[in-house]
């Protein structure tokens, strides 16, 4: 579960249903500031509000916490090389460097070189050494978080 993805997805759902933050807050019986905090990634809604949001948008709570975005811009981590570098850098900046480096542990040398070029101030080798060995499932989870963010940003552009 990644709060950046959840916050962006909550914003995507609201905008795709043509609600302002104020209108959504009114429908849920909460303050506009609460909606703003969710979308900024400061907090996430509690379980009762998540249930209300899921009913409002006709999605499951799990869909909110782990969104599966359609249409997909990329389906594989290696496809991030197809994204313009400036755009990719902005997306990857949303993630903690440990998440990015962990995702890169399962990537090709070309993808690793691309990310090292995008973030010249990061010592990738030292960060990898500090992280140590990780399970392949962890690498795949970090890659999937990045894929989800790329696809969510693509979906946001379409609304």
């Amino acid at each position: 579960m990644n709060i950046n993805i959840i916050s962006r997805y909550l914003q995507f759902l609201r905008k795709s249903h043509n609600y302002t933050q104020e209108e959504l807050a009114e429908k849920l019986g909460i303050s506009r500031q609460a909606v703003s905090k969710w979308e900024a990634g400061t907090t996430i809604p509690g379980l009762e509000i998540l249930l209300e949001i899921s009913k409002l948008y006709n999605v499951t709570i799990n869909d909110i916490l782990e969104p599966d975005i359609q249409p997909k811009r990329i389906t594989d981590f290696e496809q991030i090389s197809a994204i313009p570098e400036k755009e990719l850098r902005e997306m990857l900046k949303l993630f903690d460097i440990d998440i990015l480096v962990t995702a890169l542990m399962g990537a090709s040398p070309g993808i690793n070189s691309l990310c090292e070029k995008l973030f010249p101030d990061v010592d990738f080798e030292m960060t990898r050494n500090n992280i140590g060995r990780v399970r392949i499932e962890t690498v795949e989870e970090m890659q999937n978080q990045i894929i989800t963010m790329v696809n969510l940003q693509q979906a946001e552009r379409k609304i």
Side-chain angles (χ1 to χ4, degrees):
M1 184 169 67
N2 181 305
I3 195 160
N4 288 328
I5 293 171
I6 295 168
S7 66
R8 295 291 292 265
Y9 189 59
L10 287 169
Q11 184 177 50
F12 169 76
L13 287 170
R14 178 181 58 78
K15 288 180 177 179
S16 65
H17 287 81
N18 297 314
Y19 294 135
T20 64
Q21 287 184 347
E22 188 75 39
E23 290 168 334
L24 177 60
E26 190 176 311
K27 286 187 176 298
L28 297 173
I30 58 171
S31 70
R32 186 205 52 80
Q33 290 82 1
V35 175
S36 178
K37 286 180 181 180
W38 305 335
E39 293 182 3
T42 306
T43 63
I44 59 173
L47 188 56
E48 291 175 13
I49 297 295
L50 280 172
L51 184 57
E52 291 301 314
I53 293 169
S54 72
K55 289 177 185 175
L56 180 65
Y57 296 136
N58 197 28
V59 296
T60 67
I61 292 175
N62 195 54
D63 290 337
I64 296 168
L65 298 177
E66 296 181 6
D68 182 24
I69 311 301
Q70 299 293 334
K72 294 188 183 302
R73 182 175 190 181
I74 64 172
T75 56
D76 181 80
F77 187 72
E78 292 292 316
Q79 294 172 329
I80 66 171
S81 63
I83 298 168
E85 289 183 9
K86 183 178 178 187
E87 184 182 342
L88 179 60
R89 185 174 194 285
E90 290 304 309
M91 281 186 232
L92 294 178
K93 281 174 37 179
L94 298 171
F95 293 92
D96 180 84
I97 197 64
D98 287 351
I99 291 174
L100 176 59
V101 170
T102 301
L104 290 171
M105 288 180 181
S108 68
I111 296 297
N112 274 275
S113 294
L114 172 62
C115 289
E116 288 173 13
K117 176 181 159 189
L118 295 175
F119 299 97
D121 54 322
V122 174
D123 186 338
F124 283 82
E125 185 174 343
M126 183 182 75
T127 305
R128 272 190 293 276
N129 290 338
N130 288 341
I131 293 171
R133 297 178 72 181
V134 295
R135 299 177 58 89
I136 189 67
E137 294 86 2
T138 304
V139 172
E140 290 172 346
E141 180 184 335
M142 300 304 120
Q143 288 181 348
N144 286 334
Q145 285 185 19
I146 292 169
I147 289 168
T148 299
M149 183 63 78
V150 168
N151 291 328
L152 180 55
Q153 288 196 336
Q154 175 72 13
E156 287 174 344
R157 286 193 181 101
K158 293 186 182 286
I159 58 169

